[in-house]
Every structure is written in structure tokens, then in C-alpha cells.
Amino acid sequence: MNSPVRIVDSMPNRKYQKKVHTEAYSLHEREYKDFGVTTIDSFINPSICNTILNQISSFDFAKICEANPLFSIKKDNSRILQISPVLDLSEALITFLDGKKLTDIISNLIGTDEVDIFRDKLILKPPQTGHFPVHQDYSWWHPYPPDSMCTAIISLCDSTLEHGPVQFFEGTHSRVLLPKGERRALTQKEIRSSTAGKSTYTKNLKKGDITLFHPLALHWSPSNVATTDRPFLYIGYIDSLYKGAYERQLQVQNDVLRQT
Ligand SMILES: O=C(O)CCC(=O)C(=O)O
């Protein structure tokens, strides 16, 4: 099916340069710089998380799929595993993201004045689902410089190690591991060589915590072996220099979801 969305790339014609950091690093900036991942506790009110989840879940997905061919739902029998995009499905989410609180933090981490959202998805991870192999998100995002992007995971539930948390390998965010075009997880051999000596970063999270991670931060997650879903929102940000990134990424993500 041809996509109605025309992808307009506007790649600035110069080498990507981060702003020079002049102030002392905050704890989170330091962690992000050193490990490629950091978590801010209780960033968003749990009642707002409930509203976001209720608003997204109450949509008639069959109708949305009909209206927007780039809308994707990944299912396992009748259970919904992933939904993307989600921005338009929740007013509470838009209100939260429109507030400058999160974008200011992310702009600082990226080292720029302004950022835009370039992808958004909800991973519901019902029980007995959701193993993700070791990968760098950047393998799917090649046209853009890695340092120009950052992903925020918004925890919409309390989760423990049983819920299949995302596990990061600290300090793996300075190297692009796969060549452009290889949109895949790592082989066992590649995992061994790129994670030797690296510590892992995994947390029990509370509803409302936000984890921020670099697109090169190597990560994976085991299946959810708890008895409840583990809904996490993934909001990807990019330096606002890169126009058209949202439409491009939607198309890439849609192609990938349809292949799996
Ligand atoms: O939510 C998870 O368990 C992992 C998701 C993930 O690794 C990804 O979307 O890149």
C-alpha cells in the first residue's frame, strides 16, 4: 500500500555540533553522559499516567487503522502488544508533553535549544510476552547523528524485575555497532564483544518514573513473567534541526512492524 505521507527530509548541510556544556552537570546529566541512561523518579503524577492509559485504551483501533494506514498495532492473538503512534490518542499525554518540563531536560542532555518528538509508541507487554533481543535503537534511525536523539520511557505502571524491565549495558553509547541498513538485533558474538566488562542497569520502576536513554545505549528486555501488563510509553526526541523526522520514522516503524 502506498503511504499518503510524503517524507520530506531536511538534513542540515553541516556537521552536527552539540552546544558546549558550560554549567556543572546535574546528577542525571552526569549519568546520561557516563552510562547513556538515567532515571528520574516520580516525574509525572501517577493519576495522569492512569488517565493517559485509559484514554489510549478506550480508542476504537479498527477505526484508527482504517483512517491512518501508518497506524500500527502489534497483537498476540487478541492481546495488544504495541500501539504506534499514540500521541493523538490521549489529550492528557499531549498536555504533559506540551509542558516544557521534559523537553527542557532532554534539550540539555542532547545539548541543543529545542527538540521535537520523532516517534511515539506504547508497549503494553502483557504477561508471557515481550522479549526484546539486545540491540541499539540507532540501527533503525541511521540518517540522523546519534547524539542528536534521546528516548524517554514513561512508566505507566509500577514494575518489578518480573515484568521484563529494559536492561541497559552501561557505557555502550559511544559506538555505532551495526552498519547503516542493518536493522537488526546483535548476534551472540557481537553481544559478547560489545558488552565485555560492562555493568547492567535495570530498575524496579514506579508509575510516573521516566528513564532517558541514548540511541546507542545497548539494551534488551526479558519476557514479562508477572501476572499484570507492563505498559511503558516510548517517546523519542530529536534536535529540532531535523525536520521531517517524525514522518520518516513512522514509515520505518510501520515497515518493521509489518515484517514481524
Ligand atoms: O519495552 C521493552 O521491554 C523493550 C523495548 C525495546 O527495547 C525497544 O522498543 O527498543
Side-chain angles (χ1 to χ4, degrees):
M1 187 186 322
N2 282 337
S3 151
V5 175
R6 200 164 61 88
I7 294 172
V8 185
D9 271 324
S10 145
M11 301 293 260
N13 202 4
R14 64 175 170 80
K15 200 167 161 9
Y16 185 67
Q17 243 174 351
K18 290 169 81 157
K19 261 194 339 190
V20 177
H21 202 291
T22 48
E23 289 157 28
Y25 285 109
S26 70
L27 168 79
H28 297 296
E29 286 166 346
R30 171 57 59 200
E31 275 189 355
Y32 186 81
K33 195 170 177 299
D34 291 348
F35 303 144
V37 55
T38 187
T39 297
I40 309 180
D41 296 339
S42 306
F43 191 80
I44 163 166
N45 190 309
S47 71
I48 298 179
C49 293
N50 293 345
T51 309
I52 292 173
L53 195 54
N54 288 339
Q55 287 179 339
I56 294 177
S57 316
S58 65
F59 263 84
D60 179 343
F61 296 118
K63 269 206 184 130
I64 303 173
C65 288
E66 232 172 70
N68 178 1
L70 289 185
F71 181 84
S72 358
I73 296 193
K74 201 171 169 188
K75 281 189 180 173
D76 160 34
N77 299 319
S78 60
R79 291 186 304 177
I80 295 177
L81 307 178
Q82 284 190 37
I83 302 171
S84 176
V86 287
L87 285 187
D88 289 343
L89 308 186
S90 166
E91 254 177 55
L93 177 60
I94 297 207
T95 306
F96 167 70
L97 295 174
D98 274 350
K100 294 276 287 159
K101 211 170 140 197
L102 184 58
T103 47
D104 281 352
I105 291 173
I106 290 181
S107 301
N108 267 340
L109 294 182
I110 288 181
T112 187
D113 293 326
E114 268 185 65
V115 289
D116 291 324
I117 290 173
F118 81 102
R119 66 126 184 196
D120 53 308
K121 69 174 174 181
L122 173 67
I123 299 187
L124 278 156
K125 203 151 177 164
Q128 310 308 325
T129 69
H131 165 80
F132 286 77
V134 178
H135 65 281
Q136 286 180 316
D137 285 353
Y138 189 66
S139 304
W140 286 263
W141 301 346
H142 256 275
Y144 309 104
D147 284 345
S148 69
M149 296 177 277
C150 171
T151 297
I153 305 178
I154 304 177
S155 298
L156 297 182
C157 64
D158 291 349
S159 61
T160 64
L161 299 187
E162 292 199 322
H163 285 90
V166 189
Q167 309 202 6
F168 296 90
F169 293 95
E170 290 178 358
T172 49
H173 58 300
S174 53
R175 226 160 40 104
V176 178
L177 295 172
L178 296 180
K180 186 174 178 180
E182 288 200 28
R183 290 180 190 149
R184 61 169 177 86
L186 266 56
T187 62
Q188 286 305 317
K189 195 172 163 211
E190 289 164 342
I191 295 169
R192 273 196 301 278
S193 64
S194 47
T195 62
K198 303 286 184 198
S199 305
T200 50
Y201 176 105
T202 314
K203 281 187 183 280
N204 289 334
L205 293 166
K206 289 269 171 231
K207 190 184 292 185
D209 291 350
I210 291 200
T211 298
L212 305 169
F213 70 98
H214 190 282
L216 295 178
L218 205 52
H219 62 283
W220 72 289
S221 71
S223 296
N224 178 0
V225 294
T227 51
T228 50
D229 290 4
R230 193 231 56 190
F232 281 2
L233 273 172
Y234 287 75
I235 310 291
Y237 285 88
I238 189 165
D239 191 318
S240 57
L241 213 52
Y242 299 100
K243 302 294 172 211
Y246 189 84
E247 288 75 14
R248 168 190 269 276
Q249 208 45 45
L250 205 52
Q251 182 71 63
V252 169
Q253 187 171 277
N254 194 274
D255 293 346
V256 171
L257 280 177
R258 273 165 211 277
Q259 281 160 16
T260 52

